[in-house]
């Protein structure tokens, strides 16, 4: 079981990834992915992944969304930054859909869909819900 140093961490992917993209389209819907390797009943979440060596966090979001869904996005504002236990850094950025059609080709992802922030599927953990519903500037 995953233990957190904080009472409100982002949901834990199985390998402790900490780069998340809150991807929105022109209608304000948010992109959610059903992650194959996450626990049953908690599989829906934001695009997430590791930064490659020398890669910026923003570039990580763009790459991960493209690899997992085939979509092109533009990273915007920083939405969440937290560090602590064993120097783990959790980062989330707002991102805008630019182009492409959803094509799930990743072993890690079962499904990818757009959802209204007011109508999220079961299995989205509360910290993700908070990020999705946060006030943007």
């Amino acid at each position: 079981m995953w233990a957190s140093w904080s009472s409100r961490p982002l949901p834990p992917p199985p390998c402790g990834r900490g780069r998340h993209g809150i991807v929105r389209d022109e209608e304000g819907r948010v992109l959610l992915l059903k992650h194959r390797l996450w626990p049953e009943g908690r599989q829906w979440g934001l695009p997430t992944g590791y930064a490659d060596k020398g890669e910026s966090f923003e570039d990580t979001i763009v790459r991960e969304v493209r690899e997992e869904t085939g979509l092109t996005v533009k990273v915007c504002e920083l939405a969440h930054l937290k560090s602590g236990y064993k120097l783990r850094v959790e980062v989330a950025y707002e991102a805008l859909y630019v182009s492409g059609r959803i094509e799930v080709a990743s072993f890690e992802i079962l499904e990818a869909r757009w959802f209204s922030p007011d109508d999220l599927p079961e299995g989205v953990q509360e910290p993700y819900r908070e990020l999705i519903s946060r006030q943007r500037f």
Side-chain angles (χ1 to χ4, degrees), residues 72-123:
T72 301
V73 300
K74 175 185 173 188
V75 174
C76 301
E77 70 188 51
L78 178 66
H80 174 84
L81 176 64
K82 191 170 195 172
S83 67
Y85 182 71
K86 294 189 179 184
L87 302 179
R88 175 189 166 110
V89 176
E90 294 177 343
V91 180
Y93 282 92
E94 289 282 343
L96 294 175
Y97 164 77
V98 173
S99 65
R101 190 170 53 92
I102 293 176
E103 294 182 27
V104 176
S106 170
F107 167 78
E108 300 172 38
I109 305 304
L110 294 168
E111 184 179 354
R113 290 191 1 216
W114 295 102
F115 291 91
S116 165
D118 299 325
D119 191 25
L120 301 177
E122 288 189 32

Side-chain angles (χ1 to χ4, degrees), residues 14-19 48-52 55 60 63-64:
C15 300
R17 297 176 186 164
R19 314 312 176 252
T48 186
Y50 284 115
D52 290 338
E55 183 178 51
T60 300
R63 178 182 51 77
E64 285 290 336

Side-chain angles (χ1 to χ4, degrees), residues 1-134:
M1 183 175 183
W2 185 77
S4 171
W5 54 270
S6 164
S7 63
R8 301 302 292 180
L10 291 175
C15 300
R17 297 176 186 164
R19 314 312 176 252
H20 310 276
I22 309 164
V23 180
R24 300 178 196 271
D25 69 5
E26 63 280 351
E27 297 174 32
R29 298 177 300 174
V30 66
L31 178 67
L32 293 179
L33 310 180
K34 190 171 187 179
H35 297 263
R36 180 184 308 273
L37 304 175
W38 290 14
E40 186 71 33
R42 296 186 300 159
Q43 292 177 297
W44 283 104
L46 299 170
T48 186
Y50 284 115
D52 290 338
K53 184 176 181 177
E55 183 178 51
S56 71
F57 294 159
E58 295 93 331
D59 289 343
T60 300
I61 301 303
V62 171
R63 178 182 51 77
E64 285 290 336
V65 171
R66 186 181 60 250
E67 288 176 359
E68 295 176 343
T69 68
L71 300 178
T72 301
V73 300
K74 175 185 173 188
V75 174
C76 301
E77 70 188 51
L78 178 66
H80 174 84
L81 176 64
K82 191 170 195 172
S83 67
Y85 182 71
K86 294 189 179 184
L87 302 179
R88 175 189 166 110
V89 176
E90 294 177 343
V91 180
Y93 282 92
E94 289 282 343
L96 294 175
Y97 164 77
V98 173
S99 65
R101 190 170 53 92
I102 293 176
E103 294 182 27
V104 176
S106 170
F107 167 78
E108 300 172 38
I109 305 304
L110 294 168
E111 184 179 354
R113 290 191 1 216
W114 295 102
F115 291 91
S116 165
D118 299 325
D119 191 25
L120 301 177
E122 288 189 32
V124 177
Q125 296 177 55
E126 189 59 30
Y128 279 145
R129 289 178 182 276
E130 290 174 8
L131 282 174
I132 291 165
S133 66
R134 69 182 268 286

